[in-house]
Amino acid sequence: MTTTLQKSVAAAKKDSKLANNWKTKPAEELTDAEVLAMPDSEYMNEKQLAFFRHKLVQLKQEIHNNAGETTENLREDTVVVPDPADRATIEEEHALELRTRDRERKLLKKIEQSIDRVDSGDYGYCDETGEAIGVGRLLARPTATLSLEAQQRRELKQKMFGD
């Protein structure tokens, strides 16, 4: 069974127009398709590491911006509402926004760890097996630390034995 991600990776690899763009462009200007089209022999070269570091830093900045907006939204919505139904709706919206920020806070830790891995040269390789995680998987999940196979084994183990 071929996934959509595998199909797009295969299509990008075949696109000869994109194959050598990485040689002339700075890492910040590369597109996902251009990075996917890079030959396997160039896996986690300086350009790819710089590309993923830039992607992780952008993601980190986006989360910080969202946190600032949440603070402003919570401050603005502190108006006393006499209707209990309206008050409950506002409180539920606040709770949902805070849960989202909590998930982002946890993601922020993973992003920081991934940036550290880029800086140390360990980024892109599985923590369990040492194998390449793969560009396609890293584009979909830049904080991945396990190859797809290792992640599937871990999830199966969790399903069978619990956390």
Side-chain angles (χ1 to χ4, degrees):
M1 186 165 76
T2 307
T3 65
T4 308
L5 178 62
Q6 289 169 330
K7 287 179 186 175
S8 66
V9 169
K13 290 275 184 205
K14 290 179 188 174
D15 192 344
S16 58
K17 290 181 213 160
L18 299 175
N20 292 314
N21 285 0
W22 67 274
K23 293 179 181 178
T24 56
K25 280 186 166 182
E28 298 79 29
E29 292 178 14
L30 288 173
T31 65
D32 291 0
E34 290 169 335
V35 173
L36 271 174
M38 290 173 73
D40 292 338
S41 61
E42 297 295 335
Y43 185 72
M44 288 303 127
N45 64 7
E46 285 184 34
K47 275 274 175 82
Q48 278 190 0
L49 287 172
F51 171 81
F52 282 109
R53 188 176 204 296
H54 179 72
K55 194 174 200 65
L56 289 161
V57 168
Q58 280 183 317
L59 193 56
K60 179 180 169 182
Q61 187 59 48
E62 196 176 297
I63 289 172
H64 283 298
N65 292 345
N66 288 345
E69 289 174 18
T70 296
T71 305
E72 287 301 314
N73 290 343
L74 292 177
R75 238 185 250 139
E76 289 172 3
D77 289 346
T78 56
V79 179
V80 178
V81 180
D83 182 30
D86 288 344
R87 192 168 45 243
T89 300
I90 290 170
E91 288 174 10
E92 186 59 32
E93 288 171 357
H94 287 182
L96 179 62
E97 194 162 347
L98 290 172
R99 281 194 303 271
T100 301
R101 295 305 152 249
D102 189 48
R103 279 195 300 273
E104 286 181 349
R105 180 185 54 81
K106 292 173 185 171
L107 178 60
L108 202 52
K109 287 180 185 176
K110 289 182 180 182
I111 291 170
E112 290 288 348
Q113 291 168 347
S114 295
I115 291 172
D116 290 343
R117 288 171 60 98
V118 167
D119 293 342
S120 69
D122 296 332
Y123 185 78
Y125 295 94
C126 180
D127 281 351
E128 285 184 9
T129 64
E131 298 171 351
I133 293 173
V135 174
R137 178 161 166 71
L138 290 170
L139 287 171
R141 187 175 207 89
T143 58
T145 58
L146 298 174
S147 65
L148 190 57
E149 295 78 18
Q151 182 66 35
Q152 288 171 336
R153 279 194 304 273
R154 180 176 281 186
E155 288 173 3
L156 183 61
K157 210 180 280 185
Q158 285 176 341
K159 189 176 179 180
M160 290 172 60
F161 304 112
D163 289 332

